[in-house]
Structure formats: C-alpha cells, structure tokens
Amino acid sequence: MINYLTYLTTIFNDASEPWQLGFQDSAAPGFTGIVTLHNTIGFYLIVISFSVFWVIMSVIYYYSSSKNPIAYKYLTHGTVLELVWTITPALILIAIAFPSFRLLYLMDEVISPTLTIKVVGHQWYWSYEYSDFITDSGDSIDFDSYMIPESDLELGQFRLLDVDNRLIVPVDCHIRLIITGSDVLHSFAVPSLGLKLDAVPGRLNQVSFLAERSGTFYGQCSEICGVWHGFMPIVVEAVSSPDFIVWLDSAS
Amino acid sequence: MAIAPITGKLRKRFWLDLSCALGLGIGAGYAYWYGSHLRDLERQESYYVKLERERAKAAQ
C-alpha cells in the first residue's frame, strides 16, 4: 500500500518506472514547457469536469420523476442557450490553443547549436555520429548503440533500457540532433529531455535541446519498427563540458 | 386537475447551479495549480539553485 501511494507522488527518476502515473522529472526547458502546458490544460479539465458533474447531479436530483412528474416539453429550442454552449467551448479551445502554439513554435527553434549529432535508427539499434569532430585518422566519430541483453545486465542497470554505448552530450549547451532512419520508420524519444521525433528513411528531421543538469536519461524507440522494436532503447548521458572533452578525446 | 405552471427556474436554480459549478471547478483548479503544479516547479527550481550553489562552491 505504501509502495502504491508513492506512485502518486513525484517520480524521482530519469527512467520510466513500473506502473508510473506521472511524468519523469524534467531535465530540459522544452520538457518543462510541455509539463506546464499539460497542467494548464489540466486546470481547464478540472473546471469543466466539476461544472459538468455539478449540473448533471443537479438535474438528476431536482428534475427526477418523483419531484417533477410532468416533463416540461415545450422548450424545444433556445437561440441564446445554443449561442452560449457554442461560444463558451470555442473560447476555452482558444485559451488552450494559444499556449500550445507558442510552445510548439518555441520548440521548433534551433538556437545556434554548439554541437550537432546525427542519429540514425536501424532495425534494431541506434547509431550516433558526431559530425563536428574527427578522429586521428580523419573519420567522423560514430558508434552503434545496442541494448544490453538481460543475461549481461550488471547490478543497477535497467532491463530493456540500458545500452552498451550511450549518447554523451555536454550540459548547458544547445545541441542539435539530426535524425533519420536507415530502413524503416523509427522514433527517437527521451521523455526527460522532451524529445520525440520520427526517424524517417530518406529524410533528415532536426530537433534541438539543452540538458539543464548532468544525468542519465532513458528513452525508447516510439514508432513500431519490427519484431524487436521494444529492444532498441536510447540512453543519453549529460556530462559537464570538461568531462565531455575528455570523453571526446578518448572516443577519437 | 390543472398543472401548476413551471416558472421561476432561472431565478430558483440557474444562478445557484452556475455559481456552484464554476466556483467549485475554479476552486479545485487553483488548488491543483498551486498545490501540485507550482509546488513541483518550485521543487525543481530549488534543485537547480542547489546545483548552481554547488558548482559555484567547487569553482572557488
């Protein structure tokens, strides 16, 4: 019971949890915006739900057959009433649409990225390419990222979520991801960073994000891509800039 | 037997229903906004402030 109650409180993890109800903690301004929009719409939802349920209860109680044996059947239409119940929802939809569009266009902005990483979805793994840097031999830094099978998991690693090679990014830097697929549709999704973008073969999609804190953020392919769709997770590790340089040096 | 006319419904029920529905709804909405949403944001902000303090301390 105590365990169940803890599910109703805030989730303190950057990975999905069994029976999780809420969002993961945000690690990027984009995801904070998404959560705020969700909760803003939640506010309207609560107001509308209370109003509708109150009116339904009121009608059931005061206009039941025992209290009103004769139905008032002569009210067949009412122009004012119809105007009210058409215009009010329209105003509510507009109030929801404006913050939604604002966030949508803000998240589409790619603000002079510090780093560009190419992400390619394959059946059934991800590969990453740091096109801004080259190795000693002049090649770009690229590697594949496969899920760690259950038999090889070490203590503390997540089943179906951990990978052999993580995508390493520096914190507090604008990072641009260029995402594509090599065979079929995939979708690169990391909830804590507010990322979800389709990887479409023959097309380059781009998205920008900024990791506000160090951490390891887990995601999964979010577009059905074949039998092992559920076995190509994503792990993004945000590290400090000096640590990133050290990693880059070792990777090259 | 003559049926009693049904009158005065707007005066008797409508304003009360409307006030209760919107009053309860907006009250619950704000309770959710201040009790849940802003509390979570504040917790997140205080965590970032803590991180920033630690970073500044380490830089000294």
Side-chain angles (χ1 to χ4, degrees):
Chain A
M1 184 65 187
I2 290 168
N3 274 342
Y4 178 73
L5 284 175
T6 58
Y7 292 132
L8 299 176
T9 60
T10 312
I11 309 293
F12 293 103
N13 209 337
D14 294 320
S16 51
E17 288 190 353
W19 303 101
Q20 180 173 335
L21 292 176
F23 289 116
Q24 292 170 36
D25 281 341
S26 168
F31 190 58
T32 307
I34 292 172
V35 173
T36 300
L37 177 70
H38 170 274
N39 291 350
T40 306
I41 296 172
F43 175 87
Y44 292 115
L45 182 82
I46 289 171
V47 175
I48 292 167
S49 301
F50 266 81
S51 305
V52 169
F53 280 113
W54 177 274
V55 172
I56 288 175
M57 289 305 149
S58 175
V59 167
I60 289 171
Y61 185 75
Y62 286 101
Y63 298 91
S64 62
S65 58
S66 59
K67 288 184 187 296
N68 286 283
I70 306 296
Y72 184 36
K73 59 185 179 183
Y74 301 108
L75 182 65
T76 52
H77 66 275
T79 310
V80 176
L81 197 61
E82 286 174 17
L83 278 173
V84 167
W85 77 42
T86 306
I87 291 171
T88 311
L91 292 176
I92 294 169
L93 286 179
I94 289 169
I96 291 172
F98 272 99
S100 171
F101 284 129
R102 182 172 156 269
L103 179 67
L104 190 68
Y105 289 116
L106 271 176
M107 289 187 74
D108 259 354
E109 302 267 337
V110 177
I111 307 160
S112 73
T114 318
L115 184 67
T116 298
I117 302 168
K118 192 173 173 188
V119 177
V120 186
H122 306 265
Q123 284 180 315
W124 290 274
Y125 63 95
W126 293 95
S127 61
Y128 304 110
E129 185 180 312
Y130 290 73
S131 318
D132 295 342
F133 308 98
I134 52 168
T135 61
D136 296 335
S137 56
D139 302 321
S140 61
I141 298 171
D142 55 3
F143 55 87
D144 298 333
S145 177
Y146 285 88
M147 185 194 80
I148 298 177
E150 206 172 333
S151 54
D152 296 350
L153 280 179
E154 290 173 10
L155 195 65
Q157 287 185 324
F158 291 114
R159 177 179 166 270
L160 302 184
L161 277 182
D162 257 303
V163 296
D164 54 357
N165 293 310
R166 294 170 170 181
L167 174 65
I168 310 288
V169 295
V171 290
D172 292 331
C173 290
H174 288 285
I175 292 154
R176 173 171 60 169
L177 297 180
I178 294 179
I179 299 173
T180 189
S182 69
D183 34 47
V184 297
L185 285 176
H186 300 274
S187 182
F188 187 84
V190 184
S192 287
L193 299 171
L195 297 174
K196 182 176 271 185
L197 200 69
D198 277 4
V200 185
R203 179 188 169 123
L204 297 176
N205 282 335
Q206 70 170 348
V207 68
S208 160
F209 74 96
L210 180 143
E212 289 181 305
R213 59 184 164 90
S214 313
T216 309
F217 309 107
Y218 294 83
Q220 288 172 304
C221 178
S222 295
E223 180 70 57
I224 286 281
C225 60
V227 289
W228 284 330
H229 157 69
F231 306 94
M232 48 178 296
I234 298 152
V235 183
V236 179
E237 189 174 343
V239 297
S240 64
S241 298
D243 287 347
F244 178 72
I245 301 292
V246 169
W247 173 81
L248 204 60
D249 192 43
S250 66
S252 63
Chain B
M1 192 180 79
I3 299 165
I6 303 170
T7 57
K9 281 294 170 191
L10 183 75
R11 179 172 50 82
K12 287 176 189 165
R13 291 290 321 165
F14 179 76
W15 295 115
L16 178 69
D17 274 340
L18 196 71
S19 313
C20 287
L22 287 179
L24 279 175
I26 291 172
Y30 272 108
Y32 164 71
W33 188 257
Y34 285 102
S36 172
H37 172 67
L38 289 186
R39 193 177 55 88
D40 283 354
L41 273 191
E42 197 180 311
R43 187 184 57 80
Q44 182 180 322
E45 277 306 309
S46 60
Y47 179 70
Y48 284 136
V49 168
K50 182 177 150 244
L51 278 187
E52 199 54 47
R53 279 203 194 114
E54 283 171 5
R55 200 177 298 169
K57 209 172 179 181
Q60 278 175 359

